[in-house]
């Protein structure tokens, strides 16, 4: 038996014995759906500069450019769907009484796969927020106008996502910390562990006493620190846990 299959066996045992499971996902879980990641090969931040597209300063300097970037991603996501990794996590939620899924992804693919207890740390690309009155609305139009406007006050809308230098919603963060501080098992899946505060969450769960297991195609700064690190594609590994 290879190390990977032995580790999958160990994880399977921990998963079905755990009373409370928390999962943190990143762009890697959606890679097998065809959604580009940020930092790997073909990653968005290899092609585009995050400071030009994913900061509040960039948006106020050139909202049209930032909206072009998000409209392009909305068009792409509209044509893509969840993969076996998303579906396996949705199935686990059905079978494990206390199961919380924390995601950094804005793509909505976990919900589309059937996950319900989802904490979206970085927001959701299908929601827009008014820069004037703050109104928050789901808006599935593809494409949106080049500079979409608020129906109530006419001000410019922005994607309801968290850019660099912006605070995460404190209520959302509280929910995430509650889930990771009180679980027996935390799975950290498809994230490079470079963006804070999400990057520290696995370690925080470990400090609080959870077994922490990473699933990633590549090693990350945390691979040697977590209890188990499984090298491989989440869409292939997660279904084997069911
Ligand atoms: C597979 C796979 C397969 C591939 N199967 N695996 C403390 C220290 C240092 C800096 C900071 C700090 N605290 C805050 C900061 C600043 C900043 C930060 O962390 N910077 C670092 C880069 C240094 N953080 C922030 O600004 C955050 N705000 C904040 O903390 O507020 C307080 C504050 C304010 C002001 C100053 C200081 C503090 C907000 C961060 C928001 C991040 N936003 C983005 C864009 C969201 C919208 C959008 O999508 O457009 O979120 S950036 C981007 O990175 C996106 C992602 O959610 C996030 C994480 O990326 P992720 O998911 O890890 O993807 P990748 O591509 O990096 O990795 C993919 C992984 O998958 C790889 O490992 C592959 O191997 C793997 N993989 N295929 C399994 N099939
Ligand atoms: Zn408004």
């Amino acid at each position: 038996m290879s190390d990977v299959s032995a580790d999958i066996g160990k994880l399977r045992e921990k998963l079905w014995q755990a009373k409370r499971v928390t999962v943190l996902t990143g762009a890697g879980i959606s890679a097998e759906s065809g959604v580009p990641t940020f930092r790997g090969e073909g990653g968005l931040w290899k092609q585009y500069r995050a400071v030009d597209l994913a900061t509040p300063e960039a948006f106020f300097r050139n909202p049209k450019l930032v909206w072009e970037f998000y409209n392009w991603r909305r068009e792409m996501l509209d044509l893509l769907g969840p993969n076996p990794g998303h579906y396996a996590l949705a199935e686990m939620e059905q079978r494990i009484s206390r199961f919380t899924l924390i995601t950094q992804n804005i793509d909505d693919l976990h919900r589309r796969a059937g996950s319900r207890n989802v904490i979206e740390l970085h927001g959701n690309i299908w929601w827009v927020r008014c820069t004037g009155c703050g109104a928050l609305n789901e808006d599935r139009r593809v494409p949106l106008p080049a500079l979409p406007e608020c129906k109530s006050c006419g001000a410019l809308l922005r994607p309801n996502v968290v850019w660099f230098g912006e605070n995460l919603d404190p209520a959302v963060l509280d929910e995430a910390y509650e889930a990771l501080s009180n679980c027996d098992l935390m799975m950290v899946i498809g994230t490079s562990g470079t963006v804070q505060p999400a990057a520290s969450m696995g370690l925080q769960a470990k400090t609080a006493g959870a077994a922490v297991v990473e699933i990633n195609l590549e090693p990350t700064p945390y691979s040697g620190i977590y209890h188990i690190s499984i090298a491989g594609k989440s869409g292939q590994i997660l279904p084997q846990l069911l």
Side-chain angles (χ1 to χ4, degrees), residues 141-161:
R141 282 177 294 165
V142 170
L144 280 170
L147 287 172
E149 286 173 2
C150 176
K151 279 193 201 117
S152 320
C153 77
L156 180 64
L157 295 175
R158 58 164 283 176
N160 189 43
V161 301

Side-chain angles (χ1 to χ4, degrees), residues 31 62-63 68 70 80 84 90 97 102 120 136-137 170 178 187 194 196 208 213-214 224-225 242:
N62 194 344
E68 258 173 42
Y70 282 93
L80 302 176
S97 60
I102 306 170
E120 292 172 317
L136 192 59
N137 284 295
E178 193 282 324
M187 292 192 274
T194 46
Q196 298 291 353
V213 179
E214 175 179 68
I225 298 172
L242 296 173

Side-chain angles (χ1 to χ4, degrees), residues 52-55 58-75 106 124-131 135 137-150 155-161 163:
D52 293 337
L53 297 168
T55 64
F59 184 70
F60 290 107
R61 197 167 53 233
N62 194 344
K64 206 158 165 266
L65 178 76
V66 173
W67 263 121
E68 258 173 42
F69 176 62
Y70 282 93
N71 259 325
W72 166 67
R73 289 170 64 197
R74 286 165 64 107
E75 278 170 34
I106 62 170
N124 187 310
I125 196 168
W126 298 109
W127 285 70
V128 291
R129 190 163 88 231
C130 176
T131 57
N137 284 295
E138 188 171 8
D139 190 335
R140 296 237 165 209
R141 282 177 294 165
V142 170
L144 280 170
L147 287 172
E149 286 173 2
C150 176
L156 180 64
L157 295 175
R158 58 164 283 176
N160 189 43
V161 301
W163 286 319

Side-chain angles (χ1 to χ4, degrees), residues 25-33 35-41 43-45 50 53-55 69-70 73 83 103-107 121-125 159-168 173 188-200 214-221 230-237:
T25 64
I29 187 112
S30 297
E32 288 155 86
S33 294
V35 183
T37 62
F38 293 92
R39 295 170 185 81
E41 204 182 315
L44 291 172
W45 300 154
L53 297 168
T55 64
F69 176 62
Y70 282 93
R73 289 170 64 197
N83 68 57
T103 187
Q104 298 168 82
N105 300 343
I106 62 170
D107 59 26
L121 290 178
H122 294 162
N124 187 310
I125 196 168
N160 189 43
V161 301
V162 181
W163 286 319
F164 285 112
E166 291 190 306
N167 286 315
L168 280 70
L173 257 188
V188 179
I189 305 169
T191 176
S192 59
T194 46
V195 174
Q196 298 291 353
S200 302
E214 175 179 68
I215 300 174
N216 200 305
L217 209 47
E218 311 257 342
T220 74
I230 302 176
K233 292 188 173 181
S234 45
Q236 292 175 1
I237 291 166

